[in-house]
Amino acid sequence: VDLYAGGTLTANAMIKAGGLKSGDQAMVYGVFSQAERGQSEKGLADTLEKAGLKVDRLEITQEANSDPSLAVPVLTAYVQSHPGLKAIGTQHGGVTGVLADVLKKAGKKPGDITVGGIDLAPATIDGLKSGYVSATLDQLLYLQGFFPVVQCVMSAKYKMPGLSLNTGAGVVTPDNTPTYLARLL
């Protein structure tokens, strides 16, 4: 995945899904301090800021990075202490999966806060179906495992140079979740 572009794609989907506008308050929760991995969050936050949103950038602790359930009380407290919050974004798959729980614990209903994330864990799919998650970047993880094998075979057998494939080129939203999931099953 082109990490920065994936964050940008997620942000644009959030803006569209939530009708977000200049001056709205947003928070991006991610691993900004990691040079390569943090590009996703930077793309997300930068794009929201370019659209005029006021963005708080919160760093995920190493503990929450390893166990996203530890982020629930932190994020719940953040949401409760920021009543004007319009959007939450992350490019951490585990955190995306807990955001519906965060919003429920903070007393929010589906759609009260626009949520953008990454990946399609079962909890994220439930969040999409319930309307708590507005958009999530689909990285096509199967292809991320399959195409390196194809690359190795092509290189070894046919001496072909490397492939470049961006597997993070689409988002899943509550509107396209049923169609998307039907293709997977």
Side-chain angles (χ1 to χ4, degrees):
V1 171
D2 179 324
L3 298 176
Y4 192 91
T8 297
L9 185 62
T10 303
N12 285 326
M14 290 172 64
I15 292 165
K16 180 180 176 185
L20 301 174
K21 59 190 181 313
S22 183
D24 283 346
Q25 181 65 42
M27 183 267 288
V28 176
Y29 188 60
V31 289
F32 293 98
S33 64
Q34 294 182 15
E36 183 64 24
R37 170 67 186 81
Q39 290 300 307
S40 291
E41 284 82 358
K42 289 173 186 159
L44 178 56
D46 289 352
T47 303
L48 292 174
E49 288 171 344
K50 286 176 187 168
L53 280 75
K54 298 175 186 170
V55 178
D56 283 344
R57 297 176 185 225
L58 274 67
E59 181 75 22
I60 295 176
T61 64
Q62 185 52 50
E63 293 79 16
N65 189 31
S66 299
D67 181 359
S69 68
L70 298 175
V72 173
V74 172
L75 294 173
T76 301
Y78 182 91
V79 170
Q80 290 173 331
S81 66
H82 292 81
L85 187 66
K86 299 288 185 192
I88 298 173
T90 188
Q91 292 289 269
H92 188 292
V95 171
T96 302
V98 301
L99 286 175
D101 189 39
V102 166
L103 295 177
K104 289 174 190 174
K105 288 181 186 310
K108 301 295 181 181
K109 295 182 183 117
D112 285 350
I113 295 179
T114 301
V115 172
I118 192 169
D119 293 339
L120 287 167
T124 301
I125 292 170
D126 290 344
L128 286 160
K129 289 179 178 179
S130 68
Y132 277 102
V133 176
S134 310
T136 188
L137 182 69
D138 180 16
Q139 297 188 80
L140 301 171
L141 296 175
Y142 175 81
L143 292 180
Q144 288 181 1
F146 178 77
F147 274 108
V149 174
V150 171
Q151 172 63 59
C152 290
V153 171
M154 300 300 273
S155 293
K157 187 168 181 164
Y158 302 109
K159 308 299 182 227
M160 295 178 88
L163 299 171
S164 178
L165 178 66
N166 182 8
T167 62
V171 292
V172 181
T173 66
D175 292 336
N176 69 9
T177 298
T179 302
Y180 188 88
L181 292 177
R183 284 184 270 167
L184 293 176
L185 302 174

